[in-house]
Amino acid sequence: MKFTLEHTDASSRARAGRMTTDHGEILTPIFMPVGTAASVKGIFHRDLKEDARAQIILANTYHLYLRPGMEVIEQAGGVHRFSTWDRPMLTDSGGFQVFSLAERRKLSDEGCRFSSHIDGSRHLFTPESVIDTERTIGADIMMAFDECPDGRAERDYAAKSLELTHRWLGRCFEQYARTQPKYGHSQSLFPIVQGCTYPDLRARSAEFVQQFGADGYAIGGLAVGEPAEVMYSMIEIVNDILPTDRPRYLMGVGTPINILEGIARGVDMFDCVMPTRNGRNGMLFTMNGVINIRNEKWRTDFSPIDPEGTSFVDTLYSKAYLRHLNIAGEMLAAQIASLHNVAFYLDLVSRARNHIFAGDFTQWKEQMVVRLSQRL
RNA sequence: GGGAGAAUUCCAGAGUGGCCAAAUGGGACAGACUGUAAAUCUGCUGGCAACGCCUUCGGUGGUUCGAAUCCAUCUUCUCCCA
């Protein structure tokens, strides 16, 4: 994978770049829709590509490992062929599940023993086994196996956790070096910077991860309970240290405003379940703020969902109709809202990229933050 | 024509003397959601000057310190027999 930095904003740390993978190019800054089980919930690949213009999507190692299992993925010829998504993909390592399914796991130096959320069966993830699994899945970008502590973790815990993540990281890269891609396209491995909300730990982690000379670097463990301002300052600390000629990926973030603030601080890649999950739950993101489509005020509002939206659903359907579908529990409501939101996120980062080139990113961002924080 | 039963807060439906402004569902309304155990979860749903007070359980009138609950009567509905 190659990354070309095309332009750096004069009044912020924002960057525009281009990533080249064996499955195509990615223009940064970019938002990556989350497709945990090799499916962006509720959206056809056709619409993801042609309507929302998604350039890369995520899948999750933990979920695919449990179901359908590696035997199926391998026989299918990897996740691209299995899912028919022929553009770049990234797999998260399962590190986040070690955090979000905390009651079901036991951490040790060796790895993480956990019981499946599906059937309770017991499993062991180690840095080595996760790399093997990610090789079998076959995404263009693989994430290192890390521990993602709570954003409010005590310093002692955060420091110990960071040491564990760093030890695991070394083992991930050793296994990465020992193994080969299985499906004829190359795979990059991104390390993940941790360190909770402690500036010195973050700085230490950002220094540490560089020894691997990776194709890109991720910032993990943010937007997990800490205030947004703290998250922003952690991003600043880390991005001051990470190399400028590699993409930086802020994992799991976030709201549209979080993303703009991340871009302003030099982040190139984002992913978040928010557009799809919140969409299923009736929340629509627009350039003028968020809409709760379930609210009574939309009951007889027959205006388009989002006149400024880029998706075909935005002008085809009315707010009143979408509200009706959502309240009636129709699955089409989830599909429309998910597609709208994903298209919105991608439009937002695309506009950000344009403003970076145009040189007015900061001004534009400040205006957008005000608009985006409204509730309609 | 005769007999039996039922009427509860938006709906369904508990409650059969005080712990009842009234269980539970549903609906309505509002909120949450950040590397997806989420098409999920939470709150709220008589009124008010609101840690208390007022009005409410088909209508009216009683019994009782106290009634959604007991009695009388009226109204409406359902079922059974002709």
Side-chain angles (χ1 to χ4, degrees), chain A residues 27-312:
Chain A
L27 303 180
T28 66
I30 189 64
F31 176 77
M32 308 182 282
V34 177
T36 304
S39 152
V40 177
K41 295 185 192 301
I43 308 182
F44 289 115
H45 288 169
R46 183 190 62 190
D47 290 336
L48 265 179
K49 288 160 67 173
E50 296 170 15
D51 190 69
R53 293 176 301 183
Q55 300 178 44
I56 171 173
I57 63 173
L58 260 68
N60 192 293
T61 302
Y62 167 87
H63 297 264
L64 294 177
Y65 161 84
L66 289 178
R67 187 167 60 192
M70 287 306 103
E71 192 193 335
V72 172
I73 299 288
E74 183 145 29
Q75 277 191 40
V79 70
H80 284 93
R81 281 200 202 157
F82 185 47
S83 68
T84 75
W85 178 259
D86 56 7
R87 290 186 182 177
M89 283 188 87
L90 179 152
T91 37
D92 186 27
S93 62
F96 186 72
Q97 280 62 47
V98 172
F99 160 66
S100 64
L101 304 174
E103 323 79 62
R104 312 177 70 92
R105 52 80 163 160
K106 191 167 183 181
L107 281 177
S108 68
D109 212 57
E110 180 188 22
C112 177
R113 289 186 187 281
F114 62 91
S115 58
S116 159
H117 72 276
I118 298 166
D119 63 2
S121 55
R122 294 176 194 289
H123 304 268
L124 170 66
F125 269 8
T126 65
E128 293 81 11
S129 78
V130 165
I131 295 301
D132 289 346
T133 304
E134 293 193 270
R135 286 291 198 195
T136 299
I137 294 171
D140 302 270
I141 299 171
M142 311 189 289
M143 300 308 300
F145 188 52
D146 65 336
E147 194 208 345
C148 175
D150 189 278
R152 292 152 293 198
E154 298 285 323
R155 198 199 145 80
D156 279 1
Y157 186 89
K160 279 171 68 177
S161 168
L162 183 62
E163 292 311 311
L164 182 68
T165 287
H166 286 173
R167 285 196 298 278
W168 284 1
L169 181 58
R171 289 162 58 190
C172 282
F173 270 90
E174 284 168 24
Q175 189 69 7
Y176 177 63
R178 275 196 293 267
T179 53
Q180 293 295 316
K182 295 186 172 185
Y183 310 110
H185 61 268
S186 64
Q187 293 182 282
S188 299
L189 175 61
F190 283 19
I192 302 171
V193 172
Q194 288 288 352
C196 288
T197 56
Y198 303 99
D200 60 315
L201 296 185
R202 284 283 169 186
R204 189 201 301 173
S205 188
E207 297 284 0
F208 181 87
V209 298
Q210 292 187 59
Q211 67 185 274
F212 301 101
D215 291 334
Y217 294 89
I219 307 170
L222 292 176
V224 282
E226 82 288 355
E229 290 306 324
V230 173
M231 170 169 78
Y232 298 149
S233 69
M234 293 301 119
I235 296 169
E236 288 168 13
I237 290 166
V238 170
N239 279 351
D240 268 348
I241 296 168
L242 290 178
T244 55
D245 61 351
R246 300 295 148 91
R248 293 95 168 245
Y249 163 28
L250 178 58
M251 304 186 75
V253 175
T255 66
I257 290 173
N258 291 161
I259 287 174
L260 293 185
E261 296 295 356
I263 291 171
R265 290 164 176 79
V267 176
D268 307 296
M269 304 161 70
F270 302 85
D271 80 281
C272 191
V273 303
M274 204 172 265
T276 43
R277 180 190 287 167
N278 289 30
R280 288 196 300 280
N281 295 330
M283 184 170 178
L284 304 179
F285 295 92
T286 79
M287 293 294 171
N288 294 306
V290 297
I291 290 175
N292 182 345
I293 200 64
R294 289 193 298 237
N295 286 173
E296 188 173 27
K297 66 211 266 190
W298 311 117
R299 194 168 66 89
T300 56
D301 186 330
F302 302 105
S303 67
I305 292 171
D306 182 3
E308 289 182 65
T310 59
S311 171
F312 81 94

Side-chain angles (χ1 to χ4, degrees), chain A residues 43 47-48 50-53 304-317 335-344 347:
Chain A
I43 308 182
D47 290 336
L48 265 179
E50 296 170 15
D51 190 69
R53 293 176 301 183
I305 292 171
D306 182 3
E308 289 182 65
T310 59
S311 171
F312 81 94
V313 297
D314 291 324
T315 45
L316 177 60
Y317 300 114
Q335 295 177 269
I336 292 171
S338 297
L339 182 55
H340 160 81
N341 281 343
V342 167
F344 169 82
D347 185 32

